[in-house]
Amino acid sequence: MKALLISRDSLLFAELASQGAARVPPLNVANSRVSMREALDRPLGEAPGLVIVDAGDGAPDDADLLERMARQYPEAQFMLLTSQHQPEFLIRAMRAGVREVLQLPLVHRAFHEAMDRISTAAGVAQLREGKVLAFIACKGGSGATFISTNFGYALATLAEKKVLLIDLHGQFGDAALYVSDQKPAMTLSDVCEQIARIDGPFLDSCLVHVTRGFGVLAAADDPSQAKEAKPEHIDAILRVARQHYDYIVLDVGRQIDAVSLRALDSTDTIYPVLQLALPDIRDARRLLDIFRSLGYPPETIRLIVNRYEKGGRLRLPDLHAALGCEVVHTVPNDYVAVTDSVNQGVPVLELSRASAAARSLADLVELVTARRAPETRGLLDRLFGRGEADY
């Protein structure tokens, strides 16, 4: 969709152009005029799909000019940006056909929500929305990075999904090293520095491609670069990623900050990872209290117990009683296979396909996708590479 922006503010033009480019399909802010009078005197050869009017100055004749603009571009959608409360002007604007009114300074989330409504009204085709799954460690060393990276690989390999993993560790993120020996050409910080360029091909070019269907957006090597990531950058990245990937897996780490909270706000399911030990349970309770205070729906929070061993002093019912949250999956204590996988930077599914850890990941893929993939051949069959001749 092409847009005409009417504003004297060059910074607003750059901001809208950046946010528009992050949409899928993109909003192309292709033309601008400094005033509605100039827009009327210099009409576009090709009518825009959207006219964005900056009415922050509140000139006396704005309402008359806006009505003329609506007649000049009768097929266009109109969005009004204003920093003043002008009841009479807003009433006339609505009568002229304006359906979206946003406050200045621009709130990006409100802008994109308005754009979603405009796109629907204009009949602009929307691509499929991918699901965002966040893995977060309840305590350091719980194994959340191993599970998130190897689950992403298993999801792409066994369920034949297109998967993106984003390493959100603010310091010393090393998710890519768990599944690849490639050196990242670009990191999350690099993408944030060039957020105006964000689209599907650009995002794909920044990834460590583990397989054809699985890529990792690595965290910055230098912790000082983590400050480049802002909450609004995460919004833009996830918005593009949802349109190009079946699943976006977030390795959140342990930190709860503005960036990780914005990412968690956008997730479909959160998987806190812990081990069955009192320190982990204590930290898990604190984390779950934070999620409850933030208003996250309980059904979106699903516990995973790592390095689980049956017959221990602490049992899963004890964990449920202590936390009030159901454990949906357990990963067995498969020390040798997991250690070999981590040390070699090779997914455990590739390195040791018959291991208990690999079987557990296959089970988790079935749990998340709610089906075997493909239907005619189960995940365990794919895991062991059995065909019809093997039976």
Side-chain angles (χ1 to χ4, degrees):
M1 179 184 293
K2 289 187 177 181
L4 165 64
L5 172 64
I6 300 173
S7 176
R8 299 179 184 277
D9 189 343
S10 59
L11 293 178
L12 179 62
F13 178 86
E15 184 178 16
L16 287 170
S18 172
Q19 293 300 311
R23 295 187 58 79
V24 179
L27 173 69
N28 181 14
V29 186
N31 299 280
S32 66
R33 299 288 187 266
V34 298
S35 68
M36 282 189 282
R37 190 171 298 281
E38 183 193 6
L40 289 166
D41 293 340
R42 296 175 53 208
L44 300 178
E46 180 183 351
L50 172 65
V51 179
I52 305 174
V53 180
D54 176 5
D57 295 339
D61 60 346
D62 274 356
D64 294 331
L65 295 173
L66 185 59
E67 289 173 351
R68 290 176 57 190
M69 286 288 302
R71 290 194 295 270
Q72 180 162 296
Y73 299 117
E75 302 300 322
Q77 303 285 324
F78 277 75
M79 178 186 292
L80 189 66
L81 309 179
T82 179
S83 57
Q84 303 180 26
H85 184 61
Q86 305 166 304
E88 293 183 6
F89 172 63
L90 294 178
I91 290 173
R92 291 187 63 181
M94 293 176 65
R95 288 173 178 168
V98 176
R99 293 294 177 263
E100 298 294 342
V101 179
L102 302 181
Q103 287 290 117
L104 291 173
L106 190 67
V107 177
H108 293 168
R109 179 169 294 187
F111 169 73
H112 287 288
E113 289 173 352
M115 280 304 308
D116 289 342
R117 293 188 292 269
I118 287 172
S119 296
T120 299
V124 176
Q126 297 295 313
L127 300 181
R128 178 163 45 90
E129 288 273 313
K131 292 185 178 181
V132 179
L133 312 177
F135 290 77
I136 183 168
C138 294
K139 185 174 179 59
S142 63
T145 297
F146 171 81
I147 292 176
S148 63
T149 52
N150 280 266
F151 168 73
Y153 177 86
L155 191 57
T157 303
L158 299 179
E160 298 178 347
K161 301 295 184 181
K162 190 175 182 183
V163 182
L164 166 66
L165 184 137
I166 303 177
D167 188 347
L168 289 176
H169 283 75
Q171 294 184 330
F172 309 112
D174 56 0
L177 297 179
Y178 279 66
V179 287
S180 175
D181 60 358
Q182 302 174 49
K183 180 175 177 58
M186 299 276 280
T187 68
L188 176 61
S189 295
D190 297 322
V191 173
C192 292
E193 284 183 341
Q194 304 178 59
I195 199 65
R197 296 180 57 192
I198 191 70
D199 59 15
F202 175 69
L203 181 59
D204 182 73
S205 71
C206 299
L207 306 182
V208 172
H209 291 280
V210 182
T211 69
R212 183 176 180 181
F214 179 43
V216 178
L217 180 57
D221 291 333
D222 185 353
S224 65
Q225 295 179 356
K227 62 183 180 181
E228 299 295 339
K230 301 292 190 298
E232 56 269 25
H233 297 157
I234 300 303
D235 279 342
I237 293 170
L238 290 180
R239 188 176 300 110
V240 171
R242 278 184 181 273
Q243 304 297 341
H244 290 87
Y245 296 87
D246 298 310
Y247 289 91
I248 301 94
V249 178
L250 306 179
D251 181 21
V252 181
R254 277 199 79 204
Q255 76 278 10
I256 298 293
D257 54 22
V259 169
S260 62
L261 282 177
R262 183 64 62 86
L264 291 170
D265 287 345
S266 301
T267 59
D268 295 283
T269 309
I270 302 172
Y271 294 97
V273 179
L274 72 158
Q275 297 183 27
L276 207 53
L278 287 177
D280 290 65
I281 296 173
R282 179 192 60 199
D283 286 1
R285 183 185 295 116
R286 294 173 178 170
L287 185 63
L288 293 177
D289 286 342
I290 292 173
F291 290 161
R292 294 183 185 110
S293 70
L294 293 170
Y296 294 165
E299 63 272 14
T300 66
I301 301 171
R302 317 187 74 185
L303 292 179
I304 292 178
V305 173
N306 191 26
R307 301 192 69 178
Y308 174 66
E309 292 181 332
K310 294 181 179 180
R313 188 176 294 268
L314 291 175
R315 302 171 302 161
L316 295 181
D318 299 326
L319 182 62
H320 184 268
L323 300 179
C325 188
E326 183 182 0
V327 176
V328 299
H329 189 67
T330 60
V331 178
N333 185 15
D334 191 358
Y335 179 81
V336 173
V338 170
T339 302
D340 286 347
S341 170
V342 173
N343 286 341
Q344 296 181 48
V346 178
V348 69
L349 193 66
E350 179 181 336
L351 187 67
S352 184
R353 301 177 73 85
S355 66
R359 289 172 179 266
S360 177
L361 288 165
D363 290 340
L364 183 57
V365 169
E366 287 194 4
L367 176 68
V368 170
T369 59
R371 68 176 181 86
R372 290 180 177 266
E375 293 288 352
T376 57
R377 192 176 178 201
L379 294 183
L380 289 177
D381 292 342
R382 293 176 60 77
L383 182 63
F384 294 111
R386 295 198 298 260
E388 293 182 1
D390 298 323
Y391 290 96

